[in-house]
Amino acid sequence: MSPDIEAPQENRRLSSRVEALAGFGLSTADIACVLATDEQDLKATYAHELESGAIKANARVAESLYRKATGEGREAVTAAIFWLKTRARWKETSIHELEGKLDTSVTFVTTYEDMKLL
């Protein structure tokens, strides 16, 4: 192949690789190390891929989780609970009642705050 044809293909391959590595959560310094390039050059050349990699990866995982959560079976229940806790701000609460010797009762309420994981 001629160099004119190889350059665009190589650029597309590197662009996809940078986007995938960013999506996996690698830092720009780590990606530059893997690609044997300068971090500033990487940022200048692949700014869009570095920014969009994590967004696209999160979207793919969210789509997969959504499909599982709206499916059937035990896996669907677990995925649905996780989805609702993280996206719909559902939370678990526990109420424990203890009785003392003086015929009094004490109620403890434990609340688990939802954590944004996505």
Side-chain angles (χ1 to χ4, degrees):
M1 280 190 196
S2 73
D4 294 338
I5 295 173
E6 289 178 13
Q9 288 176 343
E10 179 67 13
N11 287 341
R12 280 193 298 273
R13 188 181 72 75
L14 280 173
S15 176
S16 294
R17 190 164 184 207
V18 169
E19 185 177 84
L21 293 172
F24 299 150
L26 273 69
S27 68
T28 54
D30 289 344
I31 296 170
C33 180
V34 168
L35 299 178
T37 189
D38 180 69
E39 187 177 355
Q40 294 307 315
D41 290 341
L42 179 72
K43 288 178 181 180
T45 307
Y46 298 104
H48 177 72
E49 290 80 357
L50 291 168
E51 187 175 338
S52 66
I55 296 167
K56 289 180 179 181
N58 287 342
R60 285 190 297 269
V61 171
E63 179 184 7
S64 175
L65 177 62
Y66 177 80
R67 288 182 191 276
K68 284 180 176 53
T70 57
E72 298 292 327
R74 183 181 177 101
E75 187 177 68
V77 172
T78 303
I81 290 169
F82 179 78
W83 180 277
L84 290 169
K85 284 181 180 178
T86 58
R87 300 290 305 241
R89 301 187 190 277
W90 280 28
K91 58 186 172 186
E92 294 182 32
T93 57
S94 298
I95 297 176
H96 303 280
E97 291 186 19
L98 303 172
E99 291 190 27
K101 291 182 181 179
L102 299 174
D103 203 21
T104 61
S105 64
V106 178
T107 303
F108 295 93
V109 177
T110 306
T111 303
Y112 300 100
E113 294 295 324
D114 60 311
M115 299 177 65
K116 287 230 174 226
L117 299 176
L118 295 176

